[in-house]
Amino acid sequence: MKVFRALPLPAALALAVAVAGCGGGTDPEATATAPPTTAPSSSAAPTGPPSPSGSPSTTADAGTPAPGESLIAGRYQPLWPFSTQEEAARWRDAQGADGDQAWHLDAARTALAFTRDYLGFTEIDRAVRTEEEGAHARVHVGYRSQEGDRPAVAAVVHLMRYGPGEDAPWEVVGTDDTSFTLTKPAYGAAVSSPLTVGGRISGVDESITVHVRRPGSDAPLGERCCVPAGGRKAAWSAAVDFTAQPGKTLTVVVSTGGHVATVERFAVTGVSVTS
């Protein structure tokens, strides 16, 4: 789970947040949380120093994967595009760097495919900043802001190599959250329906949407819309019903927007369904 975004309180505050996303590291208060047939293009993907703050997956214990599904490095939830190490290995053996899905080897393009094609946030169309360090990558994805010259950052997507070597594909494992956090359920938690989600948010007149997703399903497995929230680091909470097979890894997605873009900030976390 994680988030970052330009808040449309006063215009000055919105610009300050957008600049922060395009500039140095992540907010010091960060809490840390079937592939498309065509690859998206990234309009910008400069590299920079690694983010100093962690993701949910680096600060919380991971849950136990379902049979046939595997954690990355023993603790990171495989959220998208692959569900298992076996799937990632099959792609590497069949496609490789010269295949028509070579975008799996590009962290920025993978993050944008996750955001646009899987989550459906089509207005988020650029990689504002990409930071790689070893097997980890953090991609600041964003959109063109109407309130400044620089793009606004909607989230910092955390990815990892799914397998050893530089020819291993990138896998989304969470987000790094700042002004909009998703702290409940805990990263890697075993959950059941109905699911209570929550965190904190800074903003005015926010409307939060909750989705529960699983690769291979076009529609959300569960959805809760229009949860009102706002304030400075104000707590928010909502319950969502979902239907999923026991043991599967799910992606919990929360988003807010409606001021200058449909989705201006989002955060995700990974959980598993109890048997």
Side-chain angles (χ1 to χ4, degrees), residues 1-2 33 55-57 72 75-80 114 136-138 157-161 171-175 187 268-270:
M1 49 191 192
K2 349 177 169 179
T33 114
S55 69
S57 49
I72 302 176
R75 63 182 306 184
Y76 296 91
Q77 301 290 322
L79 303 184
W80 190 90
F114 171 76
H136 295 262
R138 285 176 167 83
V157 180
H158 183 188
L159 306 94
M160 286 193 68
R161 293 279 190 188
E171 176 83 2
V172 175
V173 298
T175 53
Y187 187 83
V268 307
T269 194

Coordinates of all heavy atoms in Angstrom, one line a residue, residues 1-2 33 55-57 72 75-80 114 136-138 157-161 171-175 187 268-270:
M1 N 0.8 -1.2 0.0 CA 0.0 0.0 0.0 C 0.9 1.2 0.0 O 1.9 1.2 0.6 CB -0.8 0.0 1.2 CG 0.0 -0.2 2.4 SD -1.0 -0.5 3.8 CE 0.2 -0.4 5.0
K2 N 0.4 2.3 -0.6 CA 1.2 3.5 -0.6 C 0.5 4.5 -1.4 O -0.2 4.2 -2.2 CB 2.6 3.3 -1.1 CG 2.9 1.9 -1.3 CD 4.2 1.7 -1.9 CE 4.4 0.2 -1.8 NZ 5.6 -0.2 -2.4
T33 N 3.3 -0.3 1.6 CA 2.4 -1.4 1.5 C 3.0 -2.0 0.4 O 4.0 -1.7 0.6 CB 1.1 -1.0 1.3 OG1 0.9 -1.4 0.2 CG2 0.9 -0.2 1.7
S55 N 8.3 0.3 2.2 CA 7.0 0.0 1.7 C 6.3 -0.8 2.8 O 7.0 -1.2 3.8 CB 7.0 -0.8 0.4 OG 7.5 -2.1 0.7
P56 N 5.0 -1.1 2.7 CA 4.3 -1.9 3.7 C 5.1 -3.2 3.8 O 5.1 -3.7 4.9 CB 2.9 -2.1 3.1 CG 2.8 -1.0 2.1 CD 4.2 -0.7 1.6
S57 N 5.5 -3.7 2.7 CA 6.1 -5.0 2.7 C 7.5 -5.0 3.4 O 8.0 -6.1 3.8 CB 6.3 -5.5 1.3 OG 6.9 -4.6 0.5
I72 N 7.8 -13.4 -2.8 CA 9.1 -13.0 -3.5 C 10.1 -12.7 -2.3 O 9.8 -11.9 -1.4 CB 8.9 -11.7 -4.3 CG1 7.9 -12.0 -5.4 CG2 10.3 -11.3 -5.0 CD1 7.6 -10.8 -6.3
R75 N 9.0 -12.8 1.5 CA 8.1 -11.9 2.3 C 7.2 -11.0 1.4 O 6.3 -10.4 1.9 CB 8.9 -11.1 3.3 CG 9.9 -10.2 2.6 CD 10.7 -9.4 3.7 NE 9.9 -8.7 4.6 CZ 10.4 -8.0 5.6 NH1 11.7 -7.8 5.7 NH2 9.6 -7.4 6.4
Y76 N 7.5 -10.8 0.1 CA 6.8 -9.8 -0.7 C 5.7 -10.5 -1.4 O 5.9 -11.5 -2.1 CB 7.7 -9.1 -1.6 CG 8.8 -8.3 -0.9 CD1 10.0 -8.8 -0.6 CD2 8.5 -7.0 -0.6 CE1 11.0 -8.1 0.0 CE2 9.5 -6.2 0.1 CZ 10.7 -6.8 0.4 OH 11.7 -6.0 1.0
Q77 N 4.5 -9.9 -1.4 CA 3.3 -10.4 -2.0 C 3.4 -10.2 -3.6 O 3.5 -9.1 -4.0 CB 2.0 -9.7 -1.5 CG 1.8 -9.9 0.0 CD 1.5 -11.3 0.4 OE1 0.8 -12.0 -0.3 NE2 2.0 -11.8 1.5
P78 N 3.2 -11.2 -4.4 CA 3.2 -11.1 -5.8 C 1.8 -10.6 -6.3 O 0.9 -11.4 -6.3 CB 3.5 -12.5 -6.4 CG 3.0 -13.4 -5.3 CD 3.2 -12.7 -4.0
L79 N 1.7 -9.3 -6.6 CA 0.4 -8.8 -6.9 C 0.0 -8.8 -8.4 O -1.1 -9.1 -8.8 CB 0.3 -7.3 -6.4 CG 0.6 -7.1 -4.9 CD1 0.4 -5.7 -4.5 CD2 -0.3 -8.1 -4.0
W80 N 1.0 -8.5 -9.3 CA 0.7 -8.4 -10.7 C 2.1 -8.2 -11.4 O 2.9 -7.5 -10.9 CB -0.2 -7.2 -11.0 CG -0.7 -7.1 -12.4 CD1 -1.9 -7.7 -12.8 CD2 -0.2 -6.5 -13.5 NE1 -2.0 -7.5 -14.2 CE2 -1.0 -6.7 -14.6 CE3 1.0 -5.7 -13.6 CZ2 -0.7 -6.2 -15.8 CZ3 1.3 -5.2 -14.9 CH2 0.4 -5.4 -16.0
F114 N 0.4 -1.8 -14.8 CA -0.3 -2.1 -13.6 C -1.4 -1.0 -13.3 O -2.5 -1.3 -13.0 CB 0.7 -2.2 -12.5 CG 0.0 -2.4 -11.1 CD1 -0.6 -3.6 -10.7 CD2 0.0 -1.3 -10.2 CE1 -1.2 -3.7 -9.4 CE2 -0.6 -1.4 -9.0 CZ -1.1 -2.6 -8.6
H136 N 15.1 -4.3 -6.4 CA 13.9 -3.4 -6.1 C 13.9 -2.2 -7.0 O 14.9 -1.7 -7.5 CB 14.0 -2.8 -4.6 CG 13.9 -3.8 -3.6 ND1 12.8 -4.1 -2.9 CD2 14.9 -4.7 -3.0 CE1 13.0 -5.1 -2.0 NE2 14.2 -5.4 -2.1
A137 N 12.6 -1.8 -7.3 CA 12.4 -0.6 -8.1 C 11.2 0.2 -7.5 O 10.2 -0.5 -7.0 CB 12.2 -0.9 -9.6
R138 N 11.3 1.5 -7.6 CA 10.1 2.3 -7.1 C 9.9 3.3 -8.3 O 10.7 4.1 -8.6 CB 10.4 3.0 -5.8 CG 10.3 2.0 -4.6 CD 10.7 2.6 -3.3 NE 10.3 1.8 -2.2 CZ 11.0 0.8 -1.7 NH1 12.2 0.5 -2.3 NH2 10.5 0.1 -0.7
V157 N 4.9 3.2 -6.9 CA 4.7 1.7 -7.1 C 6.0 1.0 -6.8 O 7.1 1.3 -7.4 CB 4.2 1.4 -8.5 CG1 4.0 -0.1 -8.6 CG2 2.9 2.2 -8.8
H158 N 5.9 0.0 -5.9 CA 7.1 -0.8 -5.5 C 7.1 -2.1 -6.3 O 6.1 -2.8 -6.3 CB 7.1 -1.1 -4.0 CG 8.2 -1.8 -3.5 ND1 8.3 -2.3 -2.2 CD2 9.4 -2.2 -4.0 CE1 9.4 -2.9 -2.0 NE2 10.1 -2.9 -3.1
L159 N 8.2 -2.4 -7.0 CA 8.3 -3.6 -7.8 C 9.6 -4.3 -7.4 O 10.5 -3.8 -6.8 CB 8.4 -3.3 -9.3 CG 7.3 -2.4 -9.9 CD1 7.7 -1.0 -9.9 CD2 7.0 -2.9 -11.3
M160 N 9.6 -5.6 -7.7 CA 10.8 -6.5 -7.4 C 11.0 -7.4 -8.6 O 10.0 -7.8 -9.3 CB 10.6 -7.3 -6.1 CG 10.8 -6.5 -4.9 SD 11.0 -7.6 -3.4 CE 12.6 -8.3 -3.8
R161 N 12.2 -7.8 -8.8 CA 12.5 -8.8 -9.8 C 11.9 -10.2 -9.3 O 12.2 -10.6 -8.2 CB 14.0 -9.0 -10.0 CG 14.7 -7.8 -10.6 CD 14.6 -7.8 -12.1 NE 15.4 -6.8 -12.7 CZ 15.4 -6.5 -14.0 NH1 14.5 -7.1 -14.8 NH2 16.2 -5.5 -14.5
E171 N 7.8 -7.4 -10.9 CA 6.5 -7.7 -10.3 C 6.1 -6.7 -9.3 O 6.9 -6.2 -8.5 CB 6.6 -9.1 -9.6 CG 5.3 -9.5 -8.8 CD 4.3 -10.2 -9.7 OE1 4.6 -10.3 -10.9 OE2 3.2 -10.5 -9.2
V172 N 4.9 -6.2 -9.4 CA 4.4 -5.2 -8.4 C 4.2 -5.9 -7.1 O 3.5 -6.9 -7.0 CB 3.1 -4.5 -8.9 CG1 2.5 -3.6 -7.8 CG2 3.3 -3.8 -10.2
V173 N 4.7 -5.3 -6.0 CA 4.5 -5.9 -4.7 C 3.8 -5.0 -3.7 O 3.5 -5.4 -2.6 CB 5.9 -6.4 -4.1 CG1 6.5 -7.4 -5.0 CG2 6.9 -5.2 -3.9
G174 N 3.6 -3.7 -4.1 CA 2.9 -2.8 -3.2 C 3.1 -1.3 -3.6 O 3.5 -1.1 -4.7
T175 N 2.8 -0.4 -2.7 CA 3.1 1.0 -2.9 C 3.7 1.6 -1.6 O 3.5 1.1 -0.6 CB 1.8 1.8 -3.3 OG1 0.8 1.5 -2.3 CG2 1.3 1.4 -4.7
Y187 N -0.2 -5.6 5.6 CA 0.4 -6.2 4.4 C 0.6 -7.7 4.7 O 1.2 -8.1 5.7 CB 1.8 -5.6 4.1 CG 2.4 -6.0 2.8 CD1 2.0 -5.4 1.6 CD2 3.3 -7.0 2.8 CE1 2.6 -5.8 0.4 CE2 3.9 -7.4 1.6 CZ 3.5 -6.8 0.4 OH 4.1 -7.2 -0.8
V268 N -2.1 0.6 -2.7 CA -2.4 -0.8 -2.8 C -1.7 -1.6 -1.7 O -0.6 -1.2 -1.2 CB -2.1 -1.4 -4.2 CG1 -2.7 -0.6 -5.3 CG2 -0.6 -1.6 -4.4
T269 N -2.3 -2.8 -1.3 CA -1.6 -3.7 -0.4 C -2.0 -5.1 -0.9 O -3.0 -5.3 -1.6 CB -1.9 -3.4 1.0 OG1 -1.0 -4.1 1.9 CG2 -3.4 -3.9 1.4
G270 N -1.2 -6.1 -0.4 CA -1.5 -7.5 -0.8 C -1.9 -8.3 0.4 O -1.4 -8.1 1.5

